[in-house]
Amino acid sequence: MIEIELDGKKVDIVEGSMIMHAAEKAGTYIPHFCYHKKLSIAASCRMCLVDVEKMPKPMPACATPVTQGMIVRTKSEKAVKAQKSVMEFLLINHPLDCPICDQGGECQLQDLAVGYGGSSSRYQEEKRVVFHKDIGPLVSMEEMSRCIHCTRCVRFGQEIAGVMELGMSHRGEHAEIETFLGQSVDSELSGNMIDICPVGALTSKPFRYSARTWELSRRKSISPHDSTGANLIVQVKNDRVMRVVPLENEAVNECWIADRDRFSYEALNSSERLTAPMLKQGGAWKVVDWKTALEYVAHGLQSIQKNHGAASIGALVSPHSTLEELSLAGALVRGLGSENIDYRLRNAEFEASQQGVRYLGMAIPDLSQLQRVLVIGSNLRKDHPLFAQRIRQATRIGCIVSAIGERDTDWAMPVRHLCKVPSTGWVQAVADIAVAVAQEKGLSAPLNGEATEIAKQIAKSLMAGERRAVLLGNAAAHHPHASHLLTLSNWIADQTGAVVGYLSEAANTVGAQLVGAMPGAGGLNAGQMLTGGLKAAILLNNEPEFDSAAGSNAVESLGQCEMVVTLSPFKANMACSDVLLPIAPFTETPGTFVNAEGRVQTFHAVVKPLGETRPAWKVLRALANVLNLPGFEFNSAQEVLEHLHVAKGGVVPDHVPANRLSNACALPTSGLINSSVEPCVASIYQLDGIVRRASALQSTADASDSVKQEFAA
């Protein structure tokens, strides 16, 4: 540790730190633009000039290392004069358009100009104008004349997103930030450039000119998409979601969110929202009141229960639903006498005796510290953008990444060893790695295989380093031989000292397992229910045509049921449903998600339900009451959550207890049977109903590419 004096206060700071880091530790604010704690140091704006004793000129706080006994003054006349001079220079070409700028009210330049700007400028010449640029449907570069060349956006692309999509061309007066050759910005993390831009040069295209920042209420929430559980600030005006930005949480998403977390809110205000219960009568849809709809559903379920038995009733639930919703859906089905409930709509294999809740196997921040990692069956960058970002940071400090997959996909990070084989050969590929490990250690391999050259390279990589992991992606989880992949991964991990984990597909995949949203003894799994095993189906927050491995066949199969009830925020499943019940999306209901590492995160509604929409937990409780089922006397989502932890006095833990989490798996006794079934994996902007209806996201290059791939298939 080194001791320095900062504005008369003694500060202990790690050797190699900069003055800016010491100031942050001491709670002293130094004005800056180009500095960002998550990015490399550029020292390009010079706004952070400070007075360092024995140095003839003011020094940039962000790029000046501390030394023992250094004396720094941040508010001396010398420092303030230098900062004011820099501000005058920065404002020379800045347009006088604050009244129309979307950044107004949250602009660093605007704020610092109050403290360090002059009342008038000595510069009388014509201001320069930078031509606007179109870089895609998400980020706007319409007012690049505002740019102060801090290069935060450039460094973000290089260092965090892993793709240098923006760069600076020309020099001096003619310098511009651009994409070169008129290309678009297609990174799945591109929206973060909007947040880190200290001026109004980069703004949100969907949000553009829709509200002023001081008109917005800011409310905390959790992302309902992938398993990161990203913390959000949802900004609201007149009970309408206007914008979504990240809430900083170093343990989860740091200060970043993926574009689907940021821009999916457009779907919440779309014309496809279901705002009142609807019944299909004579092939035509009719709007009805809640009492009529619930009585119709209750009568239909009771009739089918009486005529065909309770085993003919089942529920297909979404892992994007809250813990409370999944719990009550399971209680409803089981209250009717059925064990037919499942969240695994995209799975091809359904493990009969799962020993514990499948999870990441480590804390999310540990991904950034890995030294060796093998990823099986995942398009890591698109399936889990924030996990990929963590591993990308690990590669910057020496982590070696290996992968098994169908194609050579661009993860925007170095992949040292790639075993490119069709999904039908993944089990054999992992078995080959196990054989290579066994040969190195003089052991017997769990399955027959051949220690190929790529298998040896991956095995040697996993046996080196200290912090190692084998991570199974969405395609591995949905694979016809998922249990073989997990068993082999566990064996390799045991021999190499690695950790095994599932990246987990959805916001509440771990939570769905936790509350038992899976079939009990004698119950039908999702695959069986979607191939004609039911007379009555309850679809909670999903669209089997897009959310299941059965695809369009699911619609045909469900169409044979006597009754299909859809609970959705949108007009979904209209071809096969008999009843549509409007339920609230995540912004209109309280609830709880459990992310991939087992972190329990509760959130509140940020706006009122739209029209006659009701929270799903209320709808399920009301339906159970009409059916006269016991145990549904809940007055709030919090009571439902506490009921799940009644054995612990209703105290809700921050994390799932360790004894409930396990990735252990016994090798199936049935042996390996060749299968030509391809794992069903949703593309980045087809993951759930909300994302699918976000117009800006559907206009991106990633959305277009997924459509092309589906058409080609």
mmCIF file of all heavy atoms in Angstrom, residues 470 485-495 500 663-665:
data_model
loop_
_atom_site.group_PDB
_atom_site.id
_atom_site.type_symbol
_atom_site.label_atom_id
_atom_site.label_comp_id
_atom_site.label_asym_id
_atom_site.label_seq_id
_atom_site.Cartn_x
_atom_site.Cartn_y
_atom_site.Cartn_z
ATOM 1 N N VAL A 470 -16.357 -26.532 -16.727
ATOM 2 C CA VAL A 470 -17.011 -27.125 -17.888
ATOM 3 C C VAL A 470 -18.445 -26.618 -17.868
ATOM 4 O O VAL A 470 -19.202 -26.904 -16.940
ATOM 5 C CB VAL A 470 -16.986 -28.666 -17.846
ATOM 6 C CG1 VAL A 470 -17.687 -29.238 -19.080
ATOM 7 C CG2 VAL A 470 -15.556 -29.187 -17.750
ATOM 8 N N LEU A 485 -24.099 -36.161 -21.652
ATOM 9 C CA LEU A 485 -23.196 -35.015 -21.691
ATOM 10 C C LEU A 485 -22.863 -34.543 -20.277
ATOM 11 O O LEU A 485 -21.704 -34.236 -19.971
ATOM 12 C CB LEU A 485 -23.834 -33.866 -22.488
ATOM 13 C CG LEU A 485 -23.980 -34.078 -24.000
ATOM 14 C CD1 LEU A 485 -24.776 -32.927 -24.620
ATOM 15 C CD2 LEU A 485 -22.629 -34.192 -24.671
ATOM 16 N N LEU A 486 -23.872 -34.501 -19.416
ATOM 17 C CA LEU A 486 -23.649 -34.060 -18.041
ATOM 18 C C LEU A 486 -22.790 -35.049 -17.268
ATOM 19 O O LEU A 486 -21.862 -34.656 -16.551
ATOM 20 C CB LEU A 486 -24.992 -33.856 -17.332
ATOM 21 C CG LEU A 486 -24.930 -33.437 -15.863
ATOM 22 C CD1 LEU A 486 -24.126 -32.157 -15.685
ATOM 23 C CD2 LEU A 486 -26.336 -33.262 -15.284
ATOM 24 N N THR A 487 -23.079 -36.335 -17.415
ATOM 25 C CA THR A 487 -22.306 -37.359 -16.705
ATOM 26 C C THR A 487 -20.839 -37.335 -17.112
ATOM 27 O O THR A 487 -19.940 -37.379 -16.263
ATOM 28 C CB THR A 487 -22.900 -38.753 -16.968
ATOM 29 O OG1 THR A 487 -24.275 -38.779 -16.558
ATOM 30 C CG2 THR A 487 -22.135 -39.821 -16.202
ATOM 31 N N LEU A 488 -20.586 -37.272 -18.401
ATOM 32 C CA LEU A 488 -19.210 -37.224 -18.893
ATOM 33 C C LEU A 488 -18.507 -35.942 -18.437
ATOM 34 O O LEU A 488 -17.329 -35.956 -18.077
ATOM 35 C CB LEU A 488 -19.191 -37.329 -20.415
ATOM 36 C CG LEU A 488 -19.571 -38.708 -20.982
ATOM 37 C CD1 LEU A 488 -19.819 -38.621 -22.488
ATOM 38 C CD2 LEU A 488 -18.479 -39.729 -20.682
ATOM 39 N N SER A 489 -19.242 -34.838 -18.460
ATOM 40 C CA SER A 489 -18.673 -33.567 -18.001
ATOM 41 C C SER A 489 -18.291 -33.650 -16.533
ATOM 42 O O SER A 489 -17.234 -33.148 -16.115
ATOM 43 C CB SER A 489 -19.670 -32.427 -18.230
ATOM 44 O OG SER A 489 -19.951 -32.265 -19.601
ATOM 45 N N ASN A 490 -19.147 -34.279 -15.731
ATOM 46 C CA ASN A 490 -18.844 -34.453 -14.308
ATOM 47 C C ASN A 490 -17.591 -35.306 -14.101
ATOM 48 O O ASN A 490 -16.761 -35.008 -13.234
ATOM 49 C CB ASN A 490 -20.037 -35.089 -13.595
ATOM 50 C CG ASN A 490 -21.094 -34.067 -13.191
ATOM 51 O OD1 ASN A 490 -20.768 -32.983 -12.733
ATOM 52 N ND2 ASN A 490 -22.364 -34.405 -13.359
ATOM 53 N N TRP A 491 -17.474 -36.357 -14.908
ATOM 54 C CA TRP A 491 -16.304 -37.226 -14.767
ATOM 55 C C TRP A 491 -15.014 -36.460 -15.116
ATOM 56 O O TRP A 491 -14.022 -36.543 -14.387
ATOM 57 C CB TRP A 491 -16.443 -38.449 -15.684
ATOM 58 C CG TRP A 491 -15.390 -39.490 -15.437
ATOM 59 C CD1 TRP A 491 -15.463 -40.547 -14.579
ATOM 60 C CD2 TRP A 491 -14.090 -39.558 -16.044
ATOM 61 N NE1 TRP A 491 -14.290 -41.264 -14.602
ATOM 62 C CE2 TRP A 491 -13.426 -40.692 -15.495
ATOM 63 C CE3 TRP A 491 -13.418 -38.790 -16.989
ATOM 64 C CZ2 TRP A 491 -12.129 -41.055 -15.869
ATOM 65 C CZ3 TRP A 491 -12.114 -39.153 -17.354
ATOM 66 C CH2 TRP A 491 -11.492 -40.272 -16.812
ATOM 67 N N ILE A 492 -15.061 -35.713 -16.215
ATOM 68 C CA ILE A 492 -13.896 -34.915 -16.618
ATOM 69 C C ILE A 492 -13.552 -33.888 -15.541
ATOM 70 O O ILE A 492 -12.397 -33.688 -15.189
ATOM 71 C CB ILE A 492 -14.168 -34.225 -17.977
ATOM 72 C CG1 ILE A 492 -14.254 -35.270 -19.090
ATOM 73 C CG2 ILE A 492 -13.090 -33.193 -18.288
ATOM 74 C CD1 ILE A 492 -14.781 -34.724 -20.404
ATOM 75 N N ALA A 493 -14.585 -33.251 -15.014
ATOM 76 C CA ALA A 493 -14.374 -32.241 -13.978
ATOM 77 C C ALA A 493 -13.766 -32.842 -12.720
ATOM 78 O O ALA A 493 -12.875 -32.247 -12.099
ATOM 79 C CB ALA A 493 -15.703 -31.553 -13.654
ATOM 80 N N ASP A 494 -14.240 -34.017 -12.355
ATOM 81 C CA ASP A 494 -13.695 -34.680 -11.166
ATOM 82 C C ASP A 494 -12.199 -34.956 -11.326
ATOM 83 O O ASP A 494 -11.425 -34.850 -10.366
ATOM 84 C CB ASP A 494 -14.442 -35.985 -10.901
ATOM 85 C CG ASP A 494 -15.854 -35.759 -10.382
ATOM 86 O OD1 ASP A 494 -16.143 -34.639 -9.910
ATOM 87 O OD2 ASP A 494 -16.685 -36.695 -10.482
ATOM 88 N N GLN A 495 -11.796 -35.338 -12.528
ATOM 89 C CA GLN A 495 -10.396 -35.701 -12.760
ATOM 90 C C GLN A 495 -9.489 -34.492 -12.973
ATOM 91 O O GLN A 495 -8.277 -34.596 -12.795
ATOM 92 C CB GLN A 495 -10.297 -36.635 -13.989
ATOM 93 C CG GLN A 495 -11.167 -37.880 -13.907
ATOM 94 C CD GLN A 495 -10.961 -38.664 -12.622
ATOM 95 O OE1 GLN A 495 -9.834 -38.820 -12.154
ATOM 96 N NE2 GLN A 495 -12.049 -39.158 -12.026
ATOM 97 N N VAL A 500 -18.509 -28.004 -12.846
ATOM 98 C CA VAL A 500 -19.493 -28.225 -13.901
ATOM 99 C C VAL A 500 -20.701 -27.338 -13.641
ATOM 100 O O VAL A 500 -21.172 -27.230 -12.502
ATOM 101 C CB VAL A 500 -19.940 -29.696 -13.956
ATOM 102 C CG1 VAL A 500 -21.087 -29.881 -14.951
ATOM 103 C CG2 VAL A 500 -18.772 -30.570 -14.368
ATOM 104 N N ASN A 663 -25.423 -30.632 -9.705
ATOM 105 C CA ASN A 663 -25.311 -31.019 -11.111
ATOM 106 C C ASN A 663 -24.885 -32.476 -11.266
ATOM 107 O O ASN A 663 -24.452 -32.896 -12.345
ATOM 108 C CB ASN A 663 -24.323 -30.100 -11.838
ATOM 109 C CG ASN A 663 -24.858 -28.675 -11.980
ATOM 110 O OD1 ASN A 663 -26.040 -28.467 -12.223
ATOM 111 N ND2 ASN A 663 -23.988 -27.677 -11.818
ATOM 112 N N ALA A 664 -25.011 -33.241 -10.173
ATOM 113 C CA ALA A 664 -24.661 -34.662 -10.216
ATOM 114 C C ALA A 664 -25.647 -35.414 -11.097
ATOM 115 O O ALA A 664 -26.826 -35.079 -11.171
ATOM 116 C CB ALA A 664 -24.661 -35.246 -8.811
ATOM 117 N N CYS A 665 -25.134 -36.434 -11.762
ATOM 118 C CA CYS A 665 -25.987 -37.217 -12.658
ATOM 119 C C CYS A 665 -25.366 -38.591 -12.849
ATOM 120 O O CYS A 665 -24.166 -38.711 -13.128
ATOM 121 C CB CYS A 665 -26.136 -36.507 -14.003
ATOM 122 S SG CYS A 665 -27.193 -37.356 -15.200
#
